[in-house]
Amino acid sequence: MERFREVLQDCKLCDLGYIGGKYTWANNRSDQNFTKERLDRAIANSKWCATFGGGEVRILSSSTSDHCPILVSLSQQQSNPFKYAQVRRYEDRWSSFSDCEQVIKKAWNQGRGQVTGLQRIKEKLQTCMTDLRKWSYRKEMEERGSLIQKSNRLQHLQQTLTAEFVQQLKQT
């Protein structure tokens, strides 16, 4: 490790540190040979740090590897010059939810004024799309909350990982 630090110093590079769990690798053994280390790092030179303010390094959890990924977020986010218009279409994955049909039926059956013909169908389609988007957003937030809870649990297990917990982590 001392030689690694010397190389960083000779090349005028610095370790950006980390936020979150400390360890980025575990050998996943369940005996006395169990080991975990901080092997993976984010490093940068002074010009990069001056440009991006050092950034923020997070050690994430991994469900498929013995190495945890590292996410480097830049302090100065470049604004995206390519803005896309909101897409208005039915998402096929919505039909996998049992309550999607009820959202459509309720929106379709809402009475709106005395409009008839194609104008009425247009209004019903707009109402359906609006209600589906709101419903979809709520569903996405529910899924994201569940995913965040599971991800936090996985990260906690990986960071507190001991030989006894290797089997429990593999089952999670």
Side-chain angles (χ1 to χ4, degrees):
M1 191 60 182
E2 187 58 38
R3 299 267 298 141
F4 179 71
R5 288 188 188 106
E6 289 173 10
V7 169
L8 288 179
Q9 190 173 15
D10 291 346
C11 295
K12 296 182 171 92
L13 297 170
C14 63
D15 188 332
L16 296 176
Y18 60 91
I19 295 173
K22 176 180 179 181
Y23 303 106
T24 63
W25 173 82
N27 66 357
N28 291 332
R29 292 188 179 181
S30 57
D31 56 17
Q32 67 274 12
N33 295 321
F34 174 78
T35 306
K36 61 182 179 180
E37 297 287 337
R38 181 174 174 233
L39 297 180
D40 306 289
R41 299 166 187 273
I43 58 173
N45 62 21
S46 58
K47 186 175 181 179
W48 190 92
C49 289
T51 303
F52 299 107
E56 178 181 275
V57 180
R58 289 197 176 273
I59 299 173
L60 306 175
S61 58
S62 172
S63 60
T64 58
S65 175
D66 58 356
H67 281 266
C68 294
I70 294 177
L71 175 67
V72 178
S73 301
L74 305 180
S75 296
Q76 296 178 345
Q77 294 293 335
Q78 301 292 328
S79 61
N80 184 0
F82 303 104
K83 300 285 184 187
Y84 298 100
Q86 184 180 15
V87 178
R88 294 179 176 243
R89 65 173 173 253
Y90 179 83
E91 297 289 337
D92 188 45
R93 73 180 206 92
W94 292 346
S95 58
S96 65
F97 296 102
S98 59
D99 54 341
C100 178
E101 187 176 341
Q102 285 84 24
V103 172
I104 294 169
K105 284 180 180 179
K106 183 179 177 187
W108 191 261
N109 292 326
Q110 285 180 4
R112 300 253 174 144
Q114 301 298 324
V115 181
T116 59
L118 290 177
Q119 187 62 31
R120 181 168 181 184
I121 292 181
K122 179 182 174 189
E123 283 185 8
K124 286 180 176 276
L125 289 172
Q126 287 172 337
T127 302
C128 280
M129 202 65 209
T130 300
D131 289 2
L132 281 169
R133 290 242 175 253
K134 289 176 187 174
W135 168 82
S136 173
Y137 179 78
R138 286 191 304 272
K139 280 290 189 194
E140 189 174 318
M141 291 301 108
E142 289 170 12
E143 287 177 346
R144 187 173 293 163
S146 175
L147 184 60
I148 288 170
Q149 286 177 345
K150 289 177 182 176
S151 180
N152 288 342
R153 173 83 172 126
L154 179 61
Q155 188 168 22
H156 173 74
L157 284 173
Q158 286 179 334
Q159 293 305 316
T160 59
L161 189 64
T162 61
E164 299 85 47
F165 290 138
V166 169
Q167 192 62 33
Q168 183 181 0
L169 178 64
K170 288 179 181 178
Q171 292 173 349
T172 303

